[in-house]
Amino acid sequence: MNAPSAPAVKVGAVVLTMGNRPAELRALLESVAKQDGDPIEVVVVGNGSPLPPIAVPGLTVRTVELSENVGIPAGRNVGIEAFGPAGREADILLFLDDDGLLPGQDTAELCRQAFAADPKLGIISFRIADPDTGVTQRRHVPRLRASDPMRSSRVTTFLGGANAVRTRVFAEAGLLPDEFFYAHEETDLAWRALDAGWMIDYRADMVLHHPTTAPSRHAVYHRMVARNRVWLARRNLPAPLVPVYLGVWLLLTLARRPSLPALRAWFGGFKEGWTTPCGPRRPMKWRTVWRLTRLGRPPVI
């Protein structure tokens, strides 16, 4: 008698859009349609914007229109829940920026293989490369030793618009933090996933093409970065590490010599982080602190 075949691994994708890059969105979806293996079902979330009918040959696309911009993490959570509670109708979800593009046809298959080979692997962070120059910005390598973007490794966080997540992670660690709106939501989820026993890999061979940009292009960048940094610590760190972590980031921010308006916005966000609700507090275990330290990024920096 033949042994039963393994069930097919269902891969889905979530794309969040403001509706202002229709040509880039279509190019991305066409690159998803070209992926090797079983077809990928895509959910496109219009974050406060109407969406036209989207038809891409060989691709099943569902659309969800939100009446207002709810922010990046809440918008992506809507996409996750479109695959059932905690995304359980899929085994793996890809999260792709609407102005990105998958240049290789094997990315989804590489994800299937990676998750099958390592049962404790929960999240994969792709390498982001400029489509014209091939350059990967240092900030897009999610580790402290970021000089060689071609080196794959275990990491402690991931890139929000270029990743793959095993949906069991959402079931065990929760979804992205809606409250954050923008900035540090990936690290919040990463810390909770690591605390639940999952691992995170940065894979240089899984590439998303994305134009080179500066994060400060967002008007709310400095305020959100500071506020959410405080929320991140308040939600996830053991109490003795909260002032250490935030003190280190205060010094790093000052050392970078931001402009006076940027510094004012940063300190406004820092104050807001202490004076506003940040969601539930679930401090990580001390063994998770040690795991982060062994992985090269202790949660004080």
Side-chain angles (χ1 to χ4, degrees):
M1 181 180 294
N2 294 329
S5 58
V9 175
K10 181 175 179 179
V11 179
V14 174
V15 179
L16 187 65
T17 183
M18 299 287 290
N20 55 352
R21 292 189 280 240
E24 292 89 341
L25 173 61
R26 183 168 184 85
L28 168 67
L29 295 178
E30 289 174 348
S31 75
V32 173
K34 294 176 183 176
Q35 292 298 299
D36 298 335
D38 292 338
I40 297 171
E41 182 179 344
V42 181
V43 170
V44 177
V45 179
N47 203 1
S49 65
L51 296 171
I54 300 173
V56 176
L59 194 66
T60 300
V61 180
R62 288 187 286 152
T63 58
V64 180
E65 293 183 2
L66 304 179
S67 60
E68 62 178 319
N69 180 358
V70 297
I72 294 173
R76 286 185 176 140
N77 284 343
V78 169
I80 295 168
E81 297 279 279
F83 288 94
R88 68 186 181 193
E89 293 171 8
D91 300 293
I92 301 165
L93 287 180
L94 311 180
F95 294 85
L96 306 169
D97 275 350
D98 67 343
D99 56 345
L101 185 142
L102 296 171
Q105 297 184 18
D106 62 347
T107 303
E109 189 59 31
L110 288 172
C111 288
R112 293 184 186 98
Q113 293 171 7
F115 285 120
D118 185 351
K120 295 310 295 179
L121 178 61
I123 302 172
I124 299 172
S125 190
F126 302 163
R127 179 168 62 88
I128 294 179
D130 184 273
D132 297 322
T133 66
V135 171
T136 296
Q137 293 179 274
R138 188 180 182 92
R139 70 185 181 88
H140 284 153
V141 183
R143 59 177 178 244
L144 291 179
R145 296 182 178 90
S147 59
D148 182 7
M150 302 305 294
R151 179 173 66 86
S152 300
S153 69
R154 293 282 202 204
V155 289
T156 61
T157 189
F158 63 99
L159 306 174
N163 67 80
V165 181
R166 193 193 300 265
T167 54
R168 282 178 54 203
V169 171
F170 298 127
E172 295 182 15
L175 303 182
L176 293 157
D178 284 354
E179 304 93 333
F180 279 42
F181 195 86
Y182 162 77
H184 302 319
E185 66 270 11
E186 301 91 358
T187 299
D188 187 88
L189 175 58
W191 282 1
R192 286 183 280 118
L194 288 162
D195 200 48
W198 296 101
M199 300 301 291
I200 306 169
D201 278 357
Y202 166 73
R203 287 284 297 264
D205 57 333
M206 301 183 191
V207 181
L208 181 84
H209 276 173
H210 189 282
T212 298
T213 57
S216 55
R217 70 190 184 280
H218 300 288
V220 296
Y221 172 76
H222 296 287
R223 180 175 69 87
M224 291 293 190
V225 162
R227 184 197 69 180
N228 292 359
R229 183 79 69 184
V230 178
W231 281 1
L232 180 68
R234 288 175 58 197
R235 286 164 58 97
N236 295 289
L237 291 181
L241 294 185
V242 172
V244 179
Y245 177 80
L246 295 175
V248 168
W249 277 103
L250 172 61
L251 294 175
L252 285 173
T253 300
L254 295 174
R256 291 168 179 168
R257 297 184 179 182
S259 67
L260 190 57
L263 197 59
R264 286 198 188 105
W266 193 93
F267 274 108
F270 193 79
K271 178 181 178 182
E272 186 180 348
W274 285 108
T275 57
T276 54
C278 63
R281 172 167 166 76
R282 299 188 181 97
M284 66 178 65
K285 308 174 190 71
W286 282 103
R287 68 168 175 261
T288 305
V289 173
W290 176 236
R291 174 185 285 186
L292 287 160
T293 303
R294 287 190 291 112
L295 288 169
R297 190 148 199 167
V300 294
I301 188 169

